[in-house]
Amino acid sequence: MSLKIRLGLIVAAGLMLSACNTTTAMYQPAPDSSIKPNDRAQLAKAKYANVKPAEPFRRAIVDFHRKELPGSIVVDSDNHYLYFVQDGGKAIRYGVTVGEEALAFSGVARVGNMAEWPKWTPTKDIHARIEGLPAQVPGGVDNPLGARALYLYQGNKDTLFRIHGTNQPEYIGASISSGCIRMTNEDVIDLYSRVKPGALVVVLEPKAGDSPYNSKLALQGGGGTPY
């Protein structure tokens, strides 16, 4: 066999192997069916620029090979993705904003409470870091928690960490929050419509590998705040 032919076969084999190892994301915007009349009224009043996330962080249907059961949520903080696990080895993948280093949460929790257009009560910790905040912010499109909030509990204890919407969609894909997991309002409305109370939430420890539950799952940074 000539050297030219052998090189051609090697290149072809490499391309085939590359194709087998590549997962193609099927980008799909959140369906309008989960958006309620009040959601439309609130979103129409939005003062923020409704910037679409960069393409890699847009809602997509992807292959999912971990062991969590359908209905579970898995957050990959390193890559800024939240996965809602579905049947058949698939998941809905959403882009998210996650916490800054030392403020982020990693661990196993459950959805202990759920709210639509939730009010926001800043904790003492966040008041100490950000001056001039009110004692409470009513629910609405200008509220930092956005359209929906999933409250993460460990046992019967509220961790003070949330999965919630945002009025800063331009930061999806970044690590700037005070520990919580932010999604676009459209995406969190979609996720909220699918999640059941008590659902398992696994937030992977940064750079901890891909073994189930990653061995070191614990609260990081203590006083997390819902923002």
Side-chain angles (χ1 to χ4, degrees):
M1 184 183 296
S2 70
L3 178 60
K4 185 176 182 180
I5 293 174
R6 276 186 284 178
L7 287 173
L9 289 173
I10 291 170
V11 170
L15 290 173
M16 290 175 65
L17 182 61
S18 175
C20 290
N21 289 330
T22 300
T23 299
T24 302
M26 297 172 57
Y27 295 106
Q28 294 183 359
D32 289 342
S33 57
S34 56
I35 299 179
K36 301 178 180 180
N38 182 50
D39 297 329
R40 297 185 189 280
Q42 287 286 350
L43 293 171
K45 296 186 293 184
K47 297 176 184 177
Y48 62 84
N50 193 13
V51 178
K52 285 187 177 181
E55 187 171 284
F57 301 110
R58 295 178 190 174
R59 182 184 184 276
I61 309 300
V62 297
D63 294 329
F64 188 81
H65 302 298
R66 287 174 55 89
K67 296 182 179 180
E68 287 78 17
L69 295 175
S72 302
I73 293 171
V74 177
V75 179
D76 176 356
S77 299
D78 279 340
N79 293 302
H80 303 90
Y81 288 131
L82 180 151
Y83 296 87
F84 180 69
V85 184
Q86 299 192 298
D87 292 314
K90 296 290 184 180
I92 303 175
R93 188 186 73 191
Y94 306 90
V96 295
T97 302
V98 298
E100 300 175 51
E101 187 177 357
L103 293 175
F105 167 83
S106 62
V108 178
R110 291 192 176 273
V111 176
N113 193 17
M114 303 171 65
E116 299 185 14
W117 296 103
K119 64 184 179 182
W120 178 43
T121 305
T123 62
K124 291 182 179 179
D125 175 66
I126 202 165
H127 274 294
R129 289 190 290 110
I130 304 175
E131 295 183 0
L133 290 175
Q136 191 174 92
V137 180
V141 74
D142 295 319
N143 185 305
L145 297 188
R148 301 287 191 272
L150 307 178
Y151 298 75
L152 305 188
Y153 279 62
Q154 291 182 321
N156 294 321
K157 183 180 179 180
D158 185 353
T159 67
L160 299 182
F161 290 89
R162 320 287 187 235
I163 298 170
H164 63 80
T166 184
N167 52 20
Q168 296 178 306
E170 66 272 21
Y171 293 124
I172 297 295
S175 302
I176 65 161
S177 81
S178 293
C180 289
I181 299 156
R182 305 181 193 173
M183 308 172 68
T184 67
N185 283 321
E186 291 77 10
D187 281 353
V188 80
I189 290 172
D190 180 61
L191 176 67
Y192 185 99
S193 72
R194 300 171 188 276
V195 171
K196 304 298 183 186
L200 178 73
V201 180
V202 178
V203 183
L204 302 179
E205 185 178 12
K207 301 178 178 63
D210 196 36
S211 60
Y213 301 165
N214 292 318
S215 71
K216 293 183 180 178
L217 289 167
L219 283 173
Q220 302 293 321
T225 56
Y227 179 44

